[in-house]
Amino acid sequence: MPNPATASALLRPLLGRRLLAVTEARYWLDGRPVAGTDGLLHFWLHFEGMPAVMAHGCGDLLKFTEEEPYTSYDMQEAGRTVVGPAQPVDLLGEVIGQHLVDVGLIRGYSTIPAVGGTLLRFEQTELLVATLADEWICQPGPVPDRLRQYLSFIGWLNTTAPTAEGQ
């Protein structure tokens, strides 16, 4: 279960480290990648000096584990899952090379105290990464008003970093 304490323990050592690469598992159909979050299955963050961290969404819960990327695989007539580098034009690709300044934990739409998302605050960019009803949300942060009934901010991991009012 992706509880806040488990997520904090895994993500806190990443603070201050530079993101070297992002690997994504993406659904391909008819020889082409499915664009945007519709085609995103999993992703891995590769920080300097740390093992790869895999993000896996399940329903309204977001789970992070130290795990290397798996290999691409064929699903025959249902398409293909291709694992490779995130494209620089993708939001996840835009933060490569930046240091992670802080991580904000977000509670998902659940009756249990679990992590449903994160705000990844990099030097120049803040990304909201969450999962809601088995759908990825990956957009510039913070949590937009239209999603606040489903995603509620828990708090920042780095209590010494400057934070925005209310988040």
Side-chain angles (χ1 to χ4, degrees):
M1 178 185 314
N3 67 53
T6 303
S8 296
L10 183 72
L11 298 173
R12 188 170 274 115
L14 304 177
L15 296 176
R17 295 187 184 267
R18 188 166 61 93
L19 182 65
L20 301 176
V22 177
T23 302
E24 62 180 23
R26 183 164 291 281
Y27 178 60
W28 283 49
L29 187 59
D30 297 326
R32 287 181 288 217
V34 175
T37 57
D38 290 343
L40 186 63
L41 301 173
H42 301 108
F43 66 88
W44 294 261
L45 302 172
H46 305 273
F47 285 92
E48 61 186 353
M50 297 299 291
V53 174
M54 178 188 184
H56 172 76
C58 181
D60 298 327
L61 305 176
L62 179 60
K63 182 179 178 183
F64 290 100
T65 56
E66 286 184 355
E67 190 173 325
E68 289 299 317
Y70 50 78
T71 58
S72 300
Y73 57 91
D74 188 36
M75 299 182 296
Q76 295 153 7
E77 59 274 344
R80 182 167 172 73
T81 295
V82 176
V83 178
Q87 297 304 307
V89 295
D90 290 342
L91 279 174
L92 292 171
E94 289 179 9
V95 294
I96 294 171
Q98 295 184 44
H99 288 84
L100 184 63
V101 175
D102 209 347
V103 175
L105 298 180
I106 297 171
R107 182 175 174 172
Y109 191 67
S110 173
T111 57
I112 57 174
V115 174
T118 59
L119 285 171
L120 300 174
R121 181 175 282 168
F122 289 92
E123 294 168 296
Q124 301 167 7
T125 309
E126 186 174 280
L127 292 181
L128 168 62
V129 176
T131 182
L132 187 60
D134 274 335
E135 299 293 328
W136 282 106
I137 298 166
C138 186
Q139 63 186 52
V143 177
D145 290 338
R146 66 181 170 77
L147 295 178
R148 287 186 191 260
Q149 65 184 359
Y150 307 110
L151 302 172
S152 57
F153 188 73
I154 297 172
W156 294 103
L157 296 183
N158 183 1
T159 58
T160 62
T163 60
E165 188 83 21
Q167 286 195 9

